[in-house]
Amino acid sequence: MIEAWSAADVRAAEEPLLAAGVPLMERASFALATQVLRDLRARRRSVRGARVALLVGAGNNGGDALHAGAYLARRGVAVTAVLVAERAHAAGLAALRAAGGRVEALHEAPERLGGVAGDVARSDVVLDGLLGIGARGALRGLAADLVRVLDAGPRPWVVAVDLPSGIGVDDGTVPGPVLRADRTVTFGAAKPGLLLPPAAHLVGELTVVDIGLALRAEPAVRRLEPADVGRAWPVPGPGDHKYTRGVVGVVAGTSTYPGAAVLAASAAVRAGAGMVRYVGPPAVGQAVLAVRPEVVTAPGRVQAWALGSGVPVGFGTAQAGRDEGQHGRPGSPVERTVPAVVDAGGLDLLEPTSPPWFVLTPHAGELAALLRRRGEDVEREAVEAEPVRWARRARELTGATVLLKGSVTVVAGMDGTYAQADAPAWLATAGSGDVLAGVLGAMLAARSADVVGRPALAAEVAAAAALVHGLAGRRAGQGGPVAALEIAGAVPAVVADLLPRG
């Protein structure tokens, strides 16, 4: 699992070490230089004679870059530091000059921006040390101008120092220009903005360097890795049967969108549900049975629900499942006793508050509509710009766990936030969300009693479902386009790969 701590928590962990004279900057800069040397060896035959440019701001990140540059210069790398502010880390500058590095004071001659940017772009590696975790807001002035020029031309290999300059450290927002990194080397611990959208797409490969911090606070954001999901997957034993493995009730699809029911039910079957029970119009049920004959259409016991996929907003899940009898709409007293995935048209039928074992699965537009119904003045664009803020706000207003779908899926739960970046861009296709609902429904059914007994677990299960869904999309598409039913079909092989061997 990757865990990320807020900037305040990281600074609090640094303070006693700095007071004790622990050389944190030296540790960080040495690790940074070591990683750059690895990258140089991978990208060219010889380190000696390679060109590295340092983009240096006024803070400690600039100092990290300068000290790393000094290490590199002593290894025969041609290093140039580009200063964009009058102030720079004095000891770092002295170390770089003593090692034979060059200093380009761009702030003293801003008219040379184009020529300097051209030289930077021809480097083998660029270190972005413009801003650190103490900065707030967008890049401004000469730093912003330099990044815009670099982004407009051919890109060298970029290594961000601790984080790409200009991203929201704690919330992943991107308020202005950011130089997209190919790698980010972060010190002590990952920061939330490195895992959260939209900034997560600017981070590149994330390398976390241990510099000896003791972080006692709870992580602000977590990201599950495949081994985490494999260890927690409920594998049936010889004493299990279809009811102990979990029964998923699917209320999805309409005569206009019957495919959503087929996809959700197929995904629940392929994710290992002991039984899938379809509740809804008979014509849609026949479409489900034509593809998945093992699905049951008779009423009976359900341990988790998947509600609303393929049901247009305003149509009503109760109308889509008008034959569901006693189960009523999501949020009724019967429904509140077991976990539920609430998607699409199910979202507009929620009661004012829901239990935390309800997992809402909106995309950005649906989340904005849900929030507006609860008094928030927010549009889709605002949700896309600040997804973690609005997912957490929806969690506060509804009481439910909120899984905000996107290229990075954000899950806001009782005790924290997850950010999963497992899906290829090809997964943005019709029906993909219906498959996710089915996978998540099966996973909640398999652990129904645990989730109701320990409601914070709902967020972890939802994040695990996002991981499985994303990996299934990768396997099904093999780097190219993918259809939703193929995603469902790839789930068993993904689960088999996740399970521990032996």
Side-chain angles (χ1 to χ4, degrees), residues 144-438:
D145 294 339
L146 177 58
V147 165
R148 290 190 185 98
V149 173
L150 290 172
D151 261 347
R155 295 187 72 260
W157 181 262
V158 175
V159 176
V161 180
D162 210 21
L163 74 170
S165 297
I167 71 167
V169 181
D170 289 333
D171 60 11
T173 53
V174 183
V178 174
L179 185 61
R180 178 172 57 84
D182 298 287
R183 180 187 303 281
T184 295
V185 178
T186 195
F187 309 123
K191 286 71 182 177
L194 301 175
L195 305 184
L196 293 169
H201 298 297
L202 302 170
V203 171
E205 185 173 344
L206 180 60
T207 301
V208 181
V209 172
D210 181 5
I211 57 172
L213 302 187
L215 290 148
R216 296 182 175 85
E218 282 295 304
V221 178
R222 296 177 173 91
R223 174 171 293 170
L224 296 180
E225 296 182 287
D228 302 312
V229 177
R231 284 190 297 268
W233 195 269
V235 178
D240 280 304
H241 50 77
K242 59 190 175 186
Y243 294 110
T244 60
R245 291 183 58 193
V247 180
V248 183
V250 175
V251 181
T254 63
S255 58
T256 306
Y257 302 107
V262 174
L263 292 167
S266 295
V269 169
R270 301 295 273 165
M275 179 189 294
V276 176
R277 193 183 300 281
Y278 177 73
V279 179
V284 178
Q286 290 303 310
V288 172
L289 289 172
V291 177
R292 298 252 58 107
E294 63 272 17
V295 171
V296 174
T297 56
R301 177 183 180 183
V302 167
Q303 288 151 297
W305 289 92
L307 303 154
S309 296
V311 179
V313 172
F315 184 88
T317 305
Q319 182 178 348
R322 54 185 172 272
D323 294 334
E324 61 186 308
Q326 65 171 330
H327 297 296
R329 71 183 217 170
S332 72
V334 172
E335 295 298 341
R336 295 175 74 93
T337 62
V338 297
V341 184
V342 186
D343 190 29
L347 296 168
D348 66 345
L349 290 177
L350 290 168
E351 292 186 346
T353 60
S354 298
W357 52 83
F358 275 28
V359 182
L360 317 186
T361 58
H363 56 58
E366 291 167 339
L367 185 64
L370 176 71
L371 289 163
R372 286 196 299 271
R373 290 195 294 272
R374 283 160 173 77
E376 296 290 331
D377 183 15
V378 60
E379 299 295 332
R380 178 178 190 138
E381 293 76 16
V383 172
E384 291 172 337
E386 298 181 272
V388 71
R389 170 191 174 187
W390 294 111
R392 287 170 173 166
R393 182 59 177 151
R395 155 77 196 140
E396 293 170 0
L397 291 173
T398 65
T401 298
V402 177
L403 182 156
L404 176 57
K405 293 181 286 197
S407 55
V408 175
T409 294
V410 173
V411 182
M414 281 185 69
D415 292 341
T417 302
Y418 291 82
Q420 296 299 133
D422 312 286
W426 292 108
L427 211 60
T429 188
S432 176
D434 307 331
V435 173
L436 174 61

Side-chain angles (χ1 to χ4, degrees), residues 8-29:
D9 288 337
V10 171
R11 285 196 294 267
E14 290 175 342
E15 284 173 3
L17 299 178
L18 292 171
V22 176
L24 295 183
M25 182 171 287
E26 287 83 347
R27 292 179 182 179
S29 57

